[in-house]
Amino acid sequence: MSTQTAAPHTEGARSTLNRVLGGSAGRSLGLVIALLVLFAVGTITAGDRFASWENILTIVRFASIIGVISIGMTFVITAGGIDLSVGSVMGLATVVATLSWVQQFASSTNWIVMVVVALAVGGAAGLINGIVIAYGNVVAFMATLAMLVAARGLAEVLANRTTQIVIEPGFLSAMRGEFIGVPVLIWIFVLVVVAGWFLLNRTTFGRRTVAIGGNLEAARLAGIKVKRHLMYVYILSGLTAGIAAVMMLARTTAGTSTHGTLYELDAIAAVVVGGTLLIGGRGTIMGTVLGVLIFSTLTNVFTQNNLSTSVQAIAKGVIIVIAVMLQQRFANRAKR
């Protein structure tokens, strides 16, 4: 009798556990475990050199720029799109913000002018992407690939293939400083993460982004202005590229057309590994943050142990393949 009554409870508990592990909490738990394993490997192989507070800050600071770009990419992929232009747009924004007349104007007024210019360049590029994709009915892959090539070319023309040094002392003083012992770049990353999480999970904008990525036609029939919303999503992605450009200027004190090369691939990899579906309809900001930290920690472990960058690239490739395979498995299970 007691065995018969206990069986349903056991099945119920097992079902609840499966639902939790198969949901976002389970996926995030897997990413946290992967990150802890990388930390354990780094601590064992590199000792205190890896586990020191300074090195942990280095890992997060290294992740901050690509992390900001990845937040914007999370919205684009959640909406069922892709943005291959973010790296080139970031490079273009660093070049335009460091043009001599821009820095002279910033010196005579306020260093914040350089920040506004970088954000304006990113937002304008995102606006063009959004209009071409949403209203021009051009496939996102091709439209943003064209922007990737054009933005890199324009940056080379404006910079004349030279590196432009940041000479505005107010900008460097503000952006290269620290707040309670933590670099400003990390604080910017934290602010973007918090804003991105709130926008995706607590606003109508976020719910519409998920709805469009899940079923574009159903979203349109539900009254969502799909084209206008997609344009906003690409503007958002461009703005995060502009923010990343400001951070890159602070870290390198230079603007050049080579900034951001292949950053679009790193951002897409971090978003996919984090659990956002490549086919759209599901996105997670915290998953993206964990994905970025995993790649940043992996790079640091390889650097601390003086291992080849080629082996590092292979390891990243394996991680991406595993993540995509797991995504396909989850997607197929969801369709059943």
Side-chain angles (χ1 to χ4, degrees):
M1 181 73 176
S2 58
T3 305
Q4 291 177 343
T5 54
H9 290 293
T10 305
E11 287 296 325
R14 189 176 299 167
S15 176
T16 303
L17 180 63
N18 288 337
R19 280 200 302 274
V20 171
L21 293 178
S24 59
R27 288 189 292 274
S28 296
L29 180 62
L31 293 171
V32 170
I33 292 173
L35 189 59
L36 291 176
V37 169
L38 280 176
F39 263 91
V41 171
T43 304
I44 293 170
T45 57
D48 294 339
R49 196 172 67 252
F50 176 84
S52 66
W53 173 245
E54 289 76 15
N55 190 54
I56 292 173
L57 284 180
T58 299
I59 292 173
V60 181
R61 187 167 52 224
F62 181 79
S64 61
I65 296 178
I66 195 68
V68 168
I69 291 179
S70 299
I71 296 299
M73 187 70 77
T74 301
F75 281 88
V76 172
I77 294 180
T78 301
I82 198 78
D83 190 349
L84 299 179
S85 68
V86 285
S88 295
V89 171
M90 190 195 83
L92 175 62
T94 65
V95 168
V96 176
T98 52
L99 290 173
S100 57
W101 67 268
V102 174
Q103 295 203 64
Q104 287 174 2
F105 185 62
S107 298
S108 61
T109 54
N110 193 299
W111 60 267
I112 203 73
V113 169
M114 295 176 64
V115 176
V116 173
V117 168
L119 294 181
V121 171
L127 175 64
I128 294 171
N129 278 337
I131 291 175
V132 172
I133 293 168
Y135 295 98
N137 295 322
V138 177
V139 177
F141 181 89
M142 292 307 301
T144 56
L145 182 62
M147 178 60 76
L148 180 155
V149 177
R152 189 73 69 192
L154 180 58
E156 289 177 357
V157 170
L158 292 175
N160 197 23
R161 295 180 181 271
T162 60
T163 299
Q164 301 176 161
I165 305 300
V166 178
I167 58 174
E168 169 52 39
F171 176 84
L172 295 176
S173 175
M175 302 301 294
R176 292 171 68 87
E178 294 183 351
F179 178 63
I180 56 174
V182 177
V184 170
L185 293 188
I186 295 179
W187 285 113
I188 294 175
F189 179 36
V190 171
L191 290 174
V192 172
V193 168
V194 172
W197 181 89
F198 183 82
L199 191 61
L200 184 62
N201 297 288
R202 292 289 183 269
T203 67
T204 304
F205 183 89
R207 288 190 287 276
R208 287 176 176 173
T209 302
V210 174
I212 290 173
N215 191 322
L216 189 145
E217 186 60 22
R220 188 184 67 80
L221 293 174
I224 298 175
K225 297 185 183 303
V226 173
K227 291 186 176 182
R228 189 174 67 181
H229 190 88
L230 282 176
M231 185 181 70
Y232 290 158
V233 168
Y234 282 95
I235 292 174
L236 180 64
S237 180
L239 283 174
T240 55
I243 296 172
V246 174
M247 298 167 72
M248 181 61 82
L249 287 175
R251 195 175 81 181
T252 65
T253 69
T256 169
S257 60
T258 59
H259 277 330
T261 302
L262 297 181
Y263 271 32
E264 57 278 353
L265 299 185
D266 287 341
I268 293 170
V271 172
V272 172
V273 168
T276 296
L277 274 182
L278 259 178
I279 57 176
R282 189 187 73 200
T284 161
I285 296 296
M286 293 314 300
T288 296
V289 173
L290 289 170
V292 171
L293 290 177
I294 285 173
F295 282 126
S296 178
T297 305
L298 184 68
T299 300
N300 191 270
V301 170
F302 274 76
T303 303
Q304 294 282 353
N305 291 284
N306 295 318
L307 295 177
S308 164
T309 55
S310 302
V311 178
Q312 178 184 327
I314 294 172
K316 283 184 176 180
V318 170
I319 292 173
I320 294 168
V321 169
I322 292 174
V324 172
M325 290 175 67
L326 288 174
Q327 280 205 7
Q328 289 178 340
R329 186 173 178 181
F330 284 129
N332 291 334
R333 185 180 297 178
K335 289 178 181 176
R336 294 173 189 167

